[in-house]
Amino acid sequence: MITFPLSISANWQCASLVNNLSELEQEWLFEPHSLTAKLKSNAQSFSVKVLNEQTFTLSDAQQQLLGSNTNKALKREVLLLCDNAPMVYAQSWLPSTQTTLHNMGARPLGDVIFQHPELTRSNIEVGRFDSEHALQSLVEELNLTMRPLLGRRSVFSINDYHFLVCEVFLPGAYLYS
């Protein structure tokens, strides 16, 4: 049984410092637009499965990452499925000062945020998750083949509201093809 929230701790690196990536991995990891839209364009069906949503207290480091002066946030953990196969584990930190993005249910965050003309995004950072990482418990629970995983994260802003989105590509995801 998995205990949520899952850790997304990693040695996050700016894209310019990441090497040894195939062209396909780069294409998916550095996608500047909506990952949701990219996934949908590669599948006949797309869905979101909410794994966990809970309020948590941001650490000082998390507050600094978000540029937030509030210490409470909603942590949302979901699976993005293409043709009923789990492709991406996503985690979002949504500070409590904003309610529009809370209570999304099974709606993809990407469908909502990329509609905002004011949306900006920090540089994408890449993380690697080896076979010992806590995220592998999800891989095991989903009966997927264990392998090192790649993920990306960035801080998005809509006006003065900042939130983190982290996406980890699960075994079987298109970027490993």
Side-chain angles (χ1 to χ4, degrees):
M1 186 66 156
I2 297 176
T3 303
F4 292 102
L6 291 173
S7 168
I8 55 167
S9 63
N11 180 21
W12 293 103
Q13 296 185 314
C14 294
S16 61
L17 300 176
V18 178
N19 51 33
N20 298 325
L21 294 174
S22 72
E23 283 186 38
L24 189 59
E25 290 168 340
Q26 291 177 50
E27 176 189 331
W28 282 90
L29 288 167
F30 305 133
E31 170 59 51
H33 305 291
S34 168
L35 180 61
T36 298
K38 188 172 181 75
L39 288 167
K40 286 179 175 181
S41 73
N42 282 273
Q44 294 197 12
S45 69
F46 176 87
S47 60
V48 174
K49 179 180 180 184
V50 178
L51 300 172
N52 184 46
E53 281 188 353
Q54 66 184 43
T55 301
F56 77 109
T57 301
L58 291 165
S59 68
D60 290 341
Q62 290 167 329
Q63 284 179 293
Q64 186 176 1
L65 177 66
L66 291 172
S68 177
N69 56 6
T70 183
N71 67 347
K72 294 287 185 199
L74 177 71
K75 186 177 288 187
R76 181 174 195 250
E77 296 172 275
V78 301
L79 287 177
L80 306 180
L81 298 106
C82 292
D83 301 323
N84 296 314
M87 293 285 148
V88 173
Y89 163 79
Q91 190 176 106
S92 306
W93 303 349
L94 305 160
S96 297
T97 57
Q98 166 62 275
T99 58
T100 310
L101 298 179
H102 293 209
N103 303 315
M104 295 279 300
R107 286 181 32 211
L109 187 61
D111 279 357
V112 176
I113 65 174
F114 282 95
Q115 301 304 312
H116 285 272
E118 306 86 15
L119 182 72
T120 59
R121 177 187 216 160
S122 70
N123 290 330
I124 292 173
E125 296 178 316
V126 174
R128 296 177 191 269
F129 303 87
D130 65 21
S131 60
E132 303 301 315
H133 196 279
L135 281 173
Q136 296 292 350
S137 64
L138 178 63
V139 171
E140 188 175 11
E141 180 88 10
L142 294 169
N143 293 316
L144 300 173
T145 304
M146 297 286 262
R147 63 161 297 139
L149 304 174
L150 291 168
R152 68 185 200 158
R153 76 174 187 179
S154 51
V155 175
F156 289 89
S157 301
I158 299 175
N159 297 321
D160 291 328
Y161 179 67
H162 310 288
F163 54 99
L164 176 93
V165 176
C166 171
E167 299 146 329
V168 179
F169 294 87
L170 296 171
Y174 302 120
L175 90 160
Y176 303 122
S177 299

